């Protein structure tokens, strides 16, 4: 559950975020005696990246008639399958125990229940947009003060030494805020599950501390029951998400930002000193040679003034990639801005994905514009072909990857599988929104006069001399990606945890700061690597700049593999196996590729600006 926020530095923005909710996400009041709907959603595990719809489980109670609300694209893509239930919740009316249903258990049901319990699956129910949570008290190590925190979801059962116990009774503790004549507002939803052997069809004796637990496979029938407690709370409605978000340790983020800032400061100093001294030295030497007739007596980067602005190889591919990365970057900026303003509240389920998709489609015009302009600068003539390639290259790769993965998810009956209607909707949106905007942007960008390069290009390319070891492809990528990764690796842990382990991450402000630090690091690292490459006589720097900027994505993917083996424990028997593993690695690869596109474009444009600044000072340009 991904979101962003920011406390100390952007307190004003966060204050706005806590009070601002988009339409339909405002408070809902209930009068005493009103029915409060309880919706079921899905089951998920912190160890297996494969959610399932709650009613797809063969061992749970299912109503005669299931009502399903409309879901936005983001909810569908994250695996939500919200549906009505037979649980009766009446505002202010406590219930000691009620029977929900008695379920006949088959061999298949027992096997499936045991597998889900063994895989530590959690259940997600929803009351007034709040997910049911497991409540616990976290004590401060220094002061010893306890603070109530929530973990979304509650356990299906408990697995102990080869024996799986199923939770068949739940006590729901619902907190509310009294608003006088306005009614009452739900401010908390706690669920306490219990396993108690019961085949009677009646409520069990909940006070029996010695009651036998329900061992899966021992009973042919299971009676599900529930209790309801209504508790008045002092927590105001606009702070009801605090217990879900309080698990975020802001100090860890601040330490990470401080360390990153130190790295940036040192890197900036090194880059500034080295480039200033070396460039001044080279240009001073060049000034002394103005009286010489042969400019070729100079050496290093100065010799490349006639080749450095030669159109890149495969420029017809580089231009669409750069255009799409601009689109992705603008999408990220717009989404983070909306999150910082509070539009992407946790109450807006699926809001992050929905907003990201909409923004990506609307930013198609920018991708076409930048791609078309660069394409013309590099001598391209077919603007229409370039615009179509810009609109289709990256989205097409993403679509093919997801459709292939979707086949395996369909086979596994996971709720993460996209319905066919959602696939068609995304295709229609691409055809009717992104493609026309990209074509328009491509046409406008191609009509703009090409960039006027500050140096003339020689007719015959200069041969490239052998490169030193540290500029060979493998080693240079490893070196260029190390510093940017060191800036983000702590924040990356929280992001991966929110994606794969369903924890709330509502730190948009920290993301903004880390993103700015990352951008500066990528730009400076790419500039110094490109300058060293030019100084060694390699004038084909265009693709090098892109690759150097994107090089830390290799570390991102490697860290994802580390996270997979150390946090998810995938590869377990039962539902964990090939499909969850494939899901994790395909999505990790796509995340790394999106990151590579963004940072690659940062590095490219930083290097382009740098090269255009230094070569006008060279005689003969």
């Amino acid at each position: 559950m991904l979101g962003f926020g920011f406390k100390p530095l952007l307190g004003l923005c966060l204050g706005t975020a806590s009070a601002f909710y988009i339409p339909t996400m405002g408070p809902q009041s209930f009068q005493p005696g009103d029915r409060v709907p309880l919706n079921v959603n899905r089951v998920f595990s912190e160890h297996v990246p494969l959610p399932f719809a709650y009613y797809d489980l063969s061992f749970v109670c299912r109503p005669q008639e299931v009502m399903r609300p409309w879901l936005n694209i983001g909810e569908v893509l994250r695996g939500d399958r919200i549906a009505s239930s037979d649980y009766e919740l009446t505002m202010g009316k406590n219930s000691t125990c009620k029977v929900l249903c008695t379920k006949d258990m088959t061999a298949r049901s027992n096997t499936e229940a045991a597998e889900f319990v063994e895989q530590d699956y959690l259940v997600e129910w929803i009351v007034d947009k709040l997910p049911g949570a497991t409540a616990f008290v976290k004590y401060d190590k220094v002061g010893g003060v306890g603070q109530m925190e929530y973990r979304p979801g509650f356990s299906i059962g408990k697995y102990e030494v080869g024996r799986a116990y199923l939770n068949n009774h739940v006590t729901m503790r619902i907190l509310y805020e009294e608003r006088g004549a306005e009614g009452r507002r739900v401010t908390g939803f706690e669920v306490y599950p219990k396993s108690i052997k019961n085949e009677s069809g009646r409520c069990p004796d909940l006070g029996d501390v010695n009651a036998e637990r329900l061992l899966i496979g021992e009973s042919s029938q299971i009676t599900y029951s529930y209790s309801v407690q209504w508790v008045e709370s002092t927590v105001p409605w606009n702070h009801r998400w605090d217990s879900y978000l309080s698990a975020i340790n802001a100090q860890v983020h601040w330490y990470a930002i401080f360390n990153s800032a130190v790295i940036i400061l040192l890197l900036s100093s090194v880059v500034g000193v080295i480039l200033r001294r070396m460039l001044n030295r080279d240009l001073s030497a060049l000034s002394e040679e103005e009286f010489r007739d042969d400019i070729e007596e100079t050496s290093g980067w100065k010799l490349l003034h006639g080749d450095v602005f030669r159109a890149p190889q495969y420029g017809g591919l580089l231009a669409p990639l750069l255009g799409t990365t601009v689109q992705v970057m603008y999408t990220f900026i717009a989404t983070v801005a909306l999150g910082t303003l509070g539009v992407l509240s946790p109450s807006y389920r699926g809001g992050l994905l929905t907003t990201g998709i909409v923004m990506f489609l609307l930013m198609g015009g920018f991708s076409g514009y930048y791609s078309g302009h660069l394409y013309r600068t590099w001598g391209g003539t077919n603007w229409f072909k370039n615009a179509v390639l810009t609109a289709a290259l990256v989205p097409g790769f993403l679509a093919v990857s997801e459709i292939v993965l979707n086949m395996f998810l369909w086979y596994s009956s996971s709720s993460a599988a996209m319905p066919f209607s959602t696939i068609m909707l995304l295709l229609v949106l691409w055809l009717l929104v992104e493609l026309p905007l990209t074509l328009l942007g491509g046409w406008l960008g191609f009509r703009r006069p090409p960039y006027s390069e500050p140096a003339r290009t020689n007719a015959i390319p200069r041969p490239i001399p052998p490169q030193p070891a540290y500029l060979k492809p493998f080693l240079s990528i490893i070196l260029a990606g190390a510093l940017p990764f060191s800036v983000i690796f702590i924040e990356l842990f929280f992001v991966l945890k929110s994606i794969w382990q369903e924890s709330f991450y509502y730190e948009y402000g920290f993301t903004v700061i880390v993103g700015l630090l990352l951008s500066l690091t990528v730009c400076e690292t790419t500039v110094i690597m490109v300058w060293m490459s030019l100084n060694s006589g390699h004038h084909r720097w265009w693709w090098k700049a892109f690759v150097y900027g994107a090089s830390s994505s290799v570390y991102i993917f490697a860290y994802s593999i580390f996270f997979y083996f150390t946090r998810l424990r995938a590869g377990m028997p039962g539902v964990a196996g090939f499909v969850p593993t494939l899901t994790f690695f395909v999505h990790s690869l796509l995340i790394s590729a999106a990151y590579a596109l963004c940072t690659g474009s940062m590095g490219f444009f930083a290097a382009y600006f740098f090269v255009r600044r230094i070569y006008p000072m060279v005689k003969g340009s």
Side-chain angles (χ1 to χ4, degrees), residues 210-341:
N210 297 318
E212 187 178 355
R213 289 186 295 174
L214 176 59
L215 179 63
I216 297 176
E218 280 193 345
S219 304
S220 59
Q221 288 186 327
I222 296 178
T223 299
Y224 287 90
S225 55
Y226 63 99
S227 304
V228 182
Q229 299 175 1
W230 294 89
V231 179
E232 185 174 355
S233 172
T234 57
V235 177
W237 181 87
N238 60 338
H239 288 282
R240 64 179 186 164
W241 284 96
D242 290 358
S243 296
Y244 293 89
L245 306 178
S246 60
I248 298 173
N249 189 343
Q251 289 185 344
V252 175
H253 296 276
W254 280 116
Y255 289 145
I257 289 173
F258 177 77
N259 292 334
S260 301
V262 172
I263 293 174
I264 289 293
L265 182 61
L266 294 175
L267 180 62
S268 300
S269 301
V270 171
V271 171
V273 171
I274 291 178
L275 291 184
R276 183 176 180 84
R277 288 186 177 181
M278 290 188 174
L279 286 175
N280 285 342
R281 183 193 65 191
D282 287 345
L283 291 174
S284 297
L286 187 60
S287 298
E288 296 174 359
E289 295 170 355
E290 290 181 354
F291 298 101
R292 302 179 183 179
D293 295 329
D294 189 8
I295 191 65
E296 297 297 336
E297 292 182 13
T298 61
S299 61
W301 61 274
K302 303 180 296 298
L303 292 176
L304 305 183
H305 64 88
D307 296 277
V308 73
F309 292 108
R310 189 180 306 279
Q313 291 181 315
Y314 309 108
L317 175 62
L318 183 59
L321 281 178
L322 291 171
T324 305
T325 57
V326 171
Q327 180 182 8
V328 173
M329 290 175 63
Y330 282 3
T331 299
F332 175 78
I333 293 171
T335 304
V336 169
L338 291 175
T340 305
L341 293 175

Side-chain angles (χ1 to χ4, degrees), residues 483-559:
L483 280 177
F485 178 72
S486 67
V487 171
I488 64 168
F489 84 96
I490 294 180
E491 204 68 26
L492 179 63
F493 169 79
F494 293 100
V495 173
L496 293 179
K497 193 171 185 295
S498 68
I499 294 174
W500 298 113
Q501 296 190 310
E502 302 294 333
S503 65
F504 284 99
Y505 177 73
Y506 198 67
E507 297 299 325
Y508 277 100
F510 288 123
T511 302
V512 170
I513 294 179
V514 173
L516 292 175
L517 295 175
L518 173 66
S519 301
L520 188 57
T521 308
V522 167
C523 292
E524 291 182 346
T525 303
T526 304
V527 165
I528 194 66
M529 293 295 294
V530 167
W531 182 82
M532 288 191 296
S533 181
L534 293 174
N535 210 39
S536 67
H538 200 305
H539 57 80
R540 296 176 183 172
W541 61 272
W542 307 89
W543 279 102
K544 277 179 167 287
F546 186 86
V547 172
Y548 289 149
S551 58
S552 53
S553 62
V554 176
Y555 289 87
I556 300 290
F557 188 70
Y559 187 82

Side-chain angles (χ1 to χ4, degrees), residues 340-494:
T340 305
L341 293 175
V343 176
L344 301 182
S345 158
S347 294
Y348 183 17
R349 300 183 64 85
L352 180 68
L353 281 173
T354 301
T355 304
I357 291 172
V358 171
M359 289 299 171
F360 183 81
L361 294 172
L362 295 179
M363 298 298 172
F366 293 101
S367 68
Y369 179 82
Y370 285 102
S371 175
H373 193 200
L374 288 172
Y375 179 70
R376 181 175 182 183
T377 300
W378 294 334
T381 57
N382 192 339
W383 72 268
F384 182 81
K385 175 184 176 182
N386 176 74
V388 172
L389 186 61
T390 303
L393 182 62
V394 174
F397 173 76
L398 176 63
V400 171
S401 302
E402 288 291 345
I403 289 175
V404 172
L405 176 61
N406 215 51
M407 296 179 182
F408 292 95
L409 295 175
W410 275 335
Y411 176 79
S412 299
S413 302
S414 171
S415 63
M418 288 187 292
F420 181 74
S421 58
T422 302
I423 297 176
M424 296 306 299
L425 173 61
L426 293 174
L427 176 61
V428 170
L429 289 174
W430 181 82
L431 287 172
L432 298 183
V433 180
E434 184 184 2
L435 182 58
L437 289 176
T438 305
L439 290 174
L440 176 61
W443 178 71
L444 293 174
F446 190 80
R447 290 191 62 189
R448 183 181 174 184
Y451 287 114
S452 178
E453 306 297 8
R456 297 186 301 271
T457 301
N458 296 333
I460 301 176
R462 176 181 293 274
I464 298 175
Q467 297 294 291
Y470 60 85
L471 290 178
K472 294 295 178 63
F474 177 78
L475 188 56
S476 62
I477 290 175
I478 298 299
L479 293 174
L483 280 177
F485 178 72
S486 67
V487 171
I488 64 168
F489 84 96
I490 294 180
E491 204 68 26
L492 179 63
F493 169 79
F494 293 100

Side-chain angles (χ1 to χ4, degrees), residues 1 124-127 129-133 152-153 189 241 244 349 504:
M1 304 176 185
E124 183 180 308
W125 291 348
I126 303 170
V127 170
K129 304 182 183 71
L130 280 179
F189 179 26
W241 284 96
Y244 293 89
R349 300 183 64 85
F504 284 99

Side-chain angles (χ1 to χ4, degrees), residues 35 37-44 51-69 71 79-88 100-101 103 108-109 112 116 121-126 154 156 172 224 226 412-415:
R35 173 78 182 269
L38 185 152
N39 292 325
V40 302
N41 186 13
R42 58 176 184 158
V43 296
F44 62 92
F52 294 87
Y54 182 76
Y55 284 146
D56 285 348
L57 307 183
S58 61
F59 54 90
V60 302
C61 298
R62 182 185 175 95
Q64 293 292 331
E65 182 180 1
V66 177
M67 305 294 293
R68 300 185 183 275
L71 302 179
D80 285 351
R81 298 296 183 265
I82 301 175
S84 62
S85 73
D86 284 339
Y87 288 95
E88 297 180 1
L100 181 66
C101 79
K103 184 75 175 179
R108 175 178 173 270
S109 300
E112 186 180 82
F116 278 89
Y121 268 84
L122 305 175
V123 181
E124 183 180 308
W125 291 348
I126 303 170
F154 62 93
I156 286 182
M172 291 177 276
Y224 287 90
Y226 63 99
S412 299
S413 302
S414 171
S415 63

